[in-house]
Amino acid sequence: VVLFGIAPVAASGAPLGTSARVIHYVSLSDSVTSVRPSFVDTVAKGAGVTLHGRAVVTRIVEEDAVAYLVARIKSTPKFKDAIRSADLITITLGANQIGAAADEMTPNGCGSSDGSGCVRAAEAAFETSYGALLAELTRLRPASKTAYRLLTSYNTPGVFSAAKGAAFTSALRAENHFVCAQALRRRMKCVDVFAAFNGANGSGDPHATGPTVSDGHPSAKGSVTIARVVLAMGFAPLH
């Protein structure tokens, strides 16, 4: 599912209809940003205040494999136009792809006794597609011109049980390591949402402490938490 929308967000001191600076913000995400309240709205307002302008948000939501998002960006002019003018890009992707594989785990699947090999394969496919996504984004909009913020995914230990949960957690950690390595390589910023939700050692349950609801999506508290860690990174290279 892909959702596309452009919504003006007025920042403090910069009402719509004025000649204030316009900050173009593109959010690439899965369903984490579809909940209300969404961290995207809070980040947009914070960007407006910090950068003395008003943020205009383009949301591109893909709840399936990252490869589909890459293909749609390449084939959709309005997506490419939005990215070419982006000042801020946040990327929140990956948990759905490995989560779907964990859901479908069966004994002996993908050459593994418990089916966890299928989750590992999904994580490897994510890495390939995520790298292709960043390559396409930077072809359209170099990191020197845009504040790229690559968000890690948080763990939801209560959503999966037994072997499925272990496979998901292992793949999630590998996925997050890859995302942060890509950020470093490409001179972007990695935003550690995982640590904010699951604690420094990664063992915390965000449903027990409040940042998620029972199905694993962010609660209002969780959306605020994600926005807080994004905003704490600042907006370099923007001025």
Side-chain angles (χ1 to χ4, degrees), residues 17-35:
T18 71
S19 59
R21 174 186 185 182
V22 176
I23 300 132
H24 296 279
Y25 172 16
V26 175
S27 165
L28 302 167
S29 69
D30 54 25
S31 58
V32 165
T33 60
S34 298
V35 300

Side-chain angles (χ1 to χ4, degrees), residues 128-147:
T128 299
S129 298
Y130 195 90
L133 172 65
L134 295 179
E136 178 63 12
L137 292 175
T138 52
R139 184 185 71 81
L140 296 168
R141 188 69 168 173
S144 60
K145 296 182 178 180
T146 298

Side-chain angles (χ1 to χ4, degrees), residues 4-78:
F4 178 85
I6 299 178
V9 179
S12 176
L16 297 178
T18 71
S19 59
R21 174 186 185 182
V22 176
I23 300 132
H24 296 279
Y25 172 16
V26 175
S27 165
L28 302 167
S29 69
D30 54 25
S31 58
V32 165
T33 60
S34 298
V35 300
R36 293 291 180 269
S38 171
F39 81 84
V40 171
D41 300 321
T42 303
V43 169
K45 291 177 182 177
V49 171
T50 301
L51 299 171
H52 309 291
R54 60 182 178 88
V56 175
V57 182
T58 301
R59 304 170 189 265
I60 307 175
V61 179
E62 175 56 71
E63 298 188 26
D64 212 322
V66 176
Y68 294 132
L69 177 59
V70 177
R72 284 171 172 142
I73 288 173
K74 289 182 176 180
S75 63
T76 308
K78 62 184 177 182

Side-chain angles (χ1 to χ4, degrees), residues 87-172:
D87 299 300
L88 169 64
I89 295 177
T90 57
I91 305 176
T92 314
L93 295 164
N96 280 11
Q97 190 160 339
I98 59 173
D103 270 334
E104 296 170 3
M105 274 175 56
T106 57
N108 303 313
C110 301
S112 54
S113 60
D114 60 2
S116 60
C118 295
V119 184
R120 291 193 294 273
E123 195 281 321
F126 162 81
E127 291 190 10
T128 299
S129 298
Y130 195 90
L133 172 65
L134 295 179
E136 178 63 12
L137 292 175
T138 52
R139 184 185 71 81
L140 296 168
R141 188 69 168 173
S144 60
K145 296 182 178 180
T146 298
Y148 278 91
R149 301 296 179 259
L150 314 187
L151 280 63
T152 61
S153 297
Y154 55 84
N155 197 10
T156 52
V159 173
F160 299 101
S161 59
K164 291 184 177 183
F168 177 81
T169 298
S170 177
L172 186 81

Side-chain angles (χ1 to χ4, degrees), residues 204-212 221:
D205 182 349
H207 182 49
T209 55
T212 66
K221 178 181 178 179

